[in-house]
């Protein structure tokens, strides 16, 4: 039997009882004959609490020290899980990201994995031990500093390790039974999906579905690694994310719509009065790229005939708002725009489904569902299999529920159970 990588999220290891429960699950998998590698998140809301603590000490925590602080969260869980497994009579060894060979670039707070050298993990497995790895962290190849991979990135650690080890499957354990047609915290009648293609899962994760980290899905697709999303609180079969080239992917029946996702983590910036000439947009977005700001939706109007000026609006992570505004302010005279507007009261609602490619009318139905619910639409963006709009943040819930109902996604009986977590 092959290697199984299991990732346990913060709500699964929130307290001593959770850690013992998870340890038992890990041991059961080991007893079935698998080699087991476990990736853990920080306990409960530890990462948020550590961030809050840093904020109380200084408004702008130095990125290097913040990474040192935050990585401590996962180290607590890894050691405790290893102890709990040993107490059950099995050998377990915990490793920091750096010890596990997670090599990253040097960007603190959102480092990218550039290589995995899992020598010590393979050694542990060779000795018959269970390896426990701290998620969401690595070590920079260039600076030798400890880095973090971004919020929610323990998923990415798990899939990257699974790929490097040639694992059979990467199991992601969370506090719900799988991927649902909407966040069950917002739509209690959401339905569990049995299978989702990586293509759709990428769109869902990019649209704010928090169940899986976006980069972990990209990794799974690139390395053809199946992911099984399930709950550590039940024994139910969860949702399988099947890479497009994987055996069985072709027979997947494609529903028209796989779900509705929402995102409250974005803000909108509008650059008002941009002169209509070659190179202006390039200059604006180069500046944002240099500031390491990830852009999501972009809208530019045609310029007004009388003024030859136009407005460019885009969305970005709220957390990058300050950095983006400062970077753009520095090029105001060069670009010659009038002013910048910042709005952090926006929410994004997206409808995702591979079947929409071949079904006309999906967009019309989406917009009319929002209209009937009295929701005004801001920006719009689409891909072949997704429609996204920005709405007033206060209306996200109304919008998501209206769209979910309009596309008949509601289950007759409530099947979603939220077992734990604070949803923070
Ligand atoms: N503990 C980190 C976070 O809360 C990483 C993770 O849970 O995936 O973002
Ligand atoms: Mg997570």
């Amino acid at each position: 039997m092959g290697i199984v990588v299991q990732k346990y999220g913060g709500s699964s290891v929130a307290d001593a009882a959770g850690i013992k429960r998870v340890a038992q699950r890990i041991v059961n998998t080991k007893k079935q004959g698998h080699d087991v590698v476990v990736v853990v998140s920080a306990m409960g809301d530890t990462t948020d609490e550590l961030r809050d603590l840093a904020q109380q000490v200084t408004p702008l925590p130095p990125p290097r020290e913040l990474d040192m602080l935050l990585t401590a969260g996962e180290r607590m869980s890894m050691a405790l899980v290893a102890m709990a497994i040993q107490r059950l009579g099995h050998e377990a060894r915990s490793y920091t990201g750096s010890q596990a060979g997670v090599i990253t670039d040097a960007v603190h707070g959102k480092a990218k994995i550039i290589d995995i050298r899992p020598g010590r993990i393979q050694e542990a497995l060779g000795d018959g031990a269970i390896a426990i790895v701290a998620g969401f962290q690595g070590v920079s190849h260039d600076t030798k500093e400890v880095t973090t991979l971004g919020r929610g990135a323990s998923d990415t650690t798990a899939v990257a390790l699974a790929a490097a080890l040639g694992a059979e499957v990467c199991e992601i354990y969370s506090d719900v039974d799988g991927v649902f047609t909407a966040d069950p915290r917002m739509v209690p009648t959401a339905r569990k999906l049995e299978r989702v293609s990586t293509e759709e899962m990428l769109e869902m994760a990019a649209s704010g579905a928090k169940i899986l980290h976006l980069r972990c899905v990209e990794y799974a697709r690139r390395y053809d690694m199946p992911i099984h999303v399930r709950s550590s609180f039940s024994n139910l079969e969860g949702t399988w994310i099947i890479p497009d080239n994987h055996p069985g992917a072709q027979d997947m029946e494609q529903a028209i719509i796989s779900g509705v996702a929402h995102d409250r983590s974005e803000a909108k910036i509008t650059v008002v009065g941009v002169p209509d000439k070659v190179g202006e947009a390039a200059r604006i977005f180069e500046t944002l790229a240099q500031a390491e700001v990830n852009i999501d939706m972009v809208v530019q109007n045609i310029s007004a005939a009388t003024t030859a000026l136009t407005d460019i609006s885009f969305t970005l992570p709220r957390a990058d708002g300050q950095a983006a505004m400062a970077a753009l302010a520095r090029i105001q005279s060069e670009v010659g725009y009038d002013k910048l507007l910042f709005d952090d009261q926006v929410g994004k609602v997206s409808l995702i489904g591979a079947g929409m490619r071949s079904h006309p009318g999906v967009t019309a139905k989406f917009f009319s569902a929002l209209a009937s619910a009295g929701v005004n639409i801001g920006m719009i963006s689409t891909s072949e299999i997704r429609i996204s709009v920005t709405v007033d943040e206060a209306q996200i819930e109304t919008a998501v529920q209206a769209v979910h109902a309009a596309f008949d996604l509601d289950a007759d009986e409530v099947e979603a159970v939220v077992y734990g977590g604070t949803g923070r």
Side-chain angles (χ1 to χ4, degrees):
M1 266 192 235
I3 299 174
V4 171
V5 174
Q6 300 185 325
K7 179 258 169 175
Y8 291 95
S11 51
S12 297
V13 293
D15 51 19
I19 284 173
K20 290 188 196 169
R21 195 190 65 242
V22 159
Q24 188 60 62
R25 236 191 142 107
I26 296 167
V27 166
N28 292 347
T29 311
K30 172 79 182 159
K31 281 191 187 150
Q32 287 162 14
H34 294 283
D35 281 336
V36 189
V37 176
V38 175
V39 174
V40 285
S41 287
M43 297 169 71
D45 289 333
T46 301
T47 307
D48 288 299
E49 286 156 14
L50 291 173
R51 280 193 80 98
D52 293 350
L53 199 55
Q55 285 287 334
Q56 287 167 35
V57 173
T58 167
L60 279 180
R64 177 188 185 276
E65 303 310 329
L66 189 59
D67 274 358
M68 283 300 212
L69 179 69
L70 297 185
T71 50
E74 270 68 13
R75 292 179 67 150
M76 288 166 67
S77 330
M78 76 181 191
L80 291 165
V81 170
M83 288 177 198
I85 294 173
Q86 290 179 33
R87 159 107 178 122
L88 295 172
H90 288 258
E91 206 193 330
R93 296 178 199 161
S94 66
Y95 299 94
T96 63
S98 162
Q99 289 175 314
V102 180
I103 314 294
T104 72
D105 63 18
V107 185
H108 285 293
K110 48 181 167 186
K112 290 203 181 62
I113 297 177
I114 53 179
D115 197 12
I116 303 271
R117 298 176 196 156
R120 297 198 67 186
I121 306 300
Q122 281 155 332
E123 211 175 283
L125 296 179
D127 294 346
I130 296 167
I132 317 292
V133 179
F136 147 85
Q137 54 182 276
V139 62
S140 159
H141 176 78
D142 295 336
T143 61
K144 311 291 176 232
E145 300 290 3
V146 168
T147 53
T148 61
L149 311 178
R151 297 308 307 271
S154 294
D155 296 350
T156 300
T157 304
V159 176
L161 264 176
L165 293 166
E168 230 161 67
V169 58
C170 183
E171 297 184 329
I172 307 267
Y173 285 92
S174 155
D175 49 13
V176 290
D177 284 311
V179 180
F180 283 77
T181 49
D183 182 345
R185 288 190 165 84
M186 184 174 278
V187 184
T189 49
R191 268 188 296 188
K192 185 174 78 189
L193 298 162
E194 265 164 39
R195 285 162 152 240
V196 182
S197 66
T198 35
E199 189 194 24
E200 287 168 303
M201 197 61 232
L202 276 176
E203 294 277 11
M204 287 197 209
S207 305
K210 290 214 241 41
I211 186 80
L212 283 181
H213 196 240
L214 174 61
R215 269 154 49 207
C216 106
V217 190
E218 287 169 351
Y219 241 96
R221 167 136 96 164
R222 186 157 0 121
Y223 294 98
D224 207 16
M225 177 59 54
I227 300 178
H228 186 187
V229 182
R230 55 197 306 197
S231 164
S232 68
F233 297 82
S234 80
N235 282 314
L236 295 175
E237 183 83 1
T239 302
W240 284 85
I241 319 293
I242 311 284
D244 310 332
N245 297 324
H246 209 72
Q250 265 63 41
D251 331 321
M252 261 174 76
E253 206 197 319
Q254 265 173 358
I256 301 177
I257 298 303
S258 51
V260 186
H262 70 274
D263 195 346
R264 301 178 186 279
S265 67
E266 295 198 333
K268 180 174 80 178
I269 291 180
T270 303
V271 189
V272 180
V274 181
D276 186 5
K277 56 178 206 261
V278 172
E280 296 284 77
R283 188 70 194 106
I284 289 171
F285 290 102
E286 270 161 15
T287 302
L288 294 165
Q290 274 154 18
E292 299 281 344
V293 175
N294 280 317
I295 305 300
D296 181 22
M297 297 162 122
V298 181
V299 170
Q300 177 183 267
N301 263 327
I302 52 167
S303 57
T306 45
T307 61
L309 293 177
T310 185
D311 298 344
I312 298 179
S313 296
F314 58 89
T315 61
L316 73 169
R318 244 173 239 187
D320 291 342
Q322 297 247 351
M325 291 292 279
L328 290 175
R330 282 195 290 273
I331 57 165
Q332 174 162 21
S333 53
E334 187 189 330
V335 171
Y337 66 80
D338 279 353
K339 60 178 173 191
L340 298 174
L341 301 176
F342 183 70
D343 178 3
D344 63 358
Q345 304 293 303
V346 294
K348 188 173 70 172
V349 177
S350 306
L351 182 71
I352 294 109
M356 71 171 77
R357 260 192 201 110
S358 50
H359 278 79
V362 172
T363 309
K365 194 166 172 182
F366 179 68
F367 290 153
S368 64
L370 292 172
S372 313
V375 175
N376 191 36
I377 296 170
M379 298 161 80
I380 302 171
S381 91
T382 60
S383 82
E384 265 195 303
I385 65 164
R386 174 188 51 79
I387 314 169
S388 304
V389 294
T390 61
V391 301
D392 188 340
E393 194 185 356
Q395 287 195 303
I396 289 190
E397 194 155 337
T398 312
V400 170
Q401 286 166 353
V403 173
H404 197 265
F407 284 90
D408 290 325
L409 297 173
D410 289 305
D412 300 332
E413 275 169 41
V414 173
E415 55 181 69
V417 184
V418 178
Y419 297 96
T422 58
R424 192 170 166 181

